[in-house]
Amino acid sequence: MRNKSRRSSRWTNQPDINLNAFLDLVLNILLFFVFATELAVFEAIDVSVPITEYSDTLSRQRQALIIFITKDNQYLADGEKMPIANLAGWLSQKKQSDDTLNTVIVRGDLNSSLQATVDVLGACRMAGIEKVKIETEKPST
């Protein structure tokens, strides 16, 4: 009779676990949520931004706050309607609570007034925001 040695793994069966299907599922779910949250923010507010050939397509930064100006000259900051009189104070509070906040992106509608954009720029200056960008789009070819 043969004795089975304890060191030999030739006689023992190790279970084979295939994780490929599980990893595919996890990555697909992760990608779905990443794209769903990205689209949910920008499609909820109907704003058609101005078009220029010199547009910077990388204007969405992680530490940037986006202020929307609708075609009716209403201001939306963090998804909430805000009167222009309260915007400078609200921006100051945001900046004090978040030290990394130094950029504001103004996403104004093409049909909004220039005065509405100037009011937002003034509120940003009063709040001490150093970088303000106006979002535009490149023309479709």
Side-chain angles (χ1 to χ4, degrees):
M1 265 189 30
R2 255 184 181 177
N3 285 340
K4 216 171 34 168
S5 114
R6 290 186 184 208
R7 292 186 181 196
S8 172
S9 64
R10 194 171 87 181
W11 293 56
T12 59
N13 289 333
Q14 295 290 329
D16 187 25
I17 299 174
N18 189 355
L19 294 176
N20 288 339
F22 178 71
L23 290 175
D24 285 344
L25 176 70
V26 169
L27 289 175
N28 281 327
I29 291 173
L30 178 69
L31 286 173
F32 170 77
F33 284 115
V34 166
F35 291 127
T37 55
E38 178 75 21
L39 293 175
V41 173
F42 292 106
E43 291 196 14
I45 302 169
D46 185 26
V47 175
S48 57
V49 297
I51 297 172
T52 180
E53 292 181 19
Y54 307 106
S55 177
D56 183 13
T57 57
L58 301 174
S59 65
R60 293 188 184 118
Q61 298 173 351
R62 292 191 182 265
Q63 297 300 326
L65 180 69
I66 301 176
I67 297 176
F68 293 93
I69 303 172
T70 64
K71 61 184 172 186
D72 303 328
N73 294 328
Q74 294 180 351
Y75 307 95
L76 289 103
D78 253 359
E80 300 176 8
K81 287 186 181 179
M82 180 154 318
I84 192 63
N86 299 346
L87 187 60
W90 183 82
L91 284 170
S92 296
Q93 289 176 350
K94 272 288 212 196
K95 185 173 165 108
Q96 288 175 355
S97 66
D98 186 7
D99 294 335
T100 60
L101 177 67
N102 65 352
T103 304
V104 169
I105 298 173
V106 179
R107 187 176 165 98
D109 192 274
L110 183 62
N111 297 320
S112 65
S113 70
L114 179 62
Q115 184 62 48
T117 306
V118 170
D119 290 341
V120 172
L121 295 175
C124 291
R125 178 175 285 185
M126 288 175 55
I129 304 289
E130 294 126 14
K131 297 178 185 175
V132 180
K133 297 180 179 181
I134 298 177
E135 186 170 291
T136 60
E137 292 179 350
K138 287 191 176 193
S140 58
T141 56

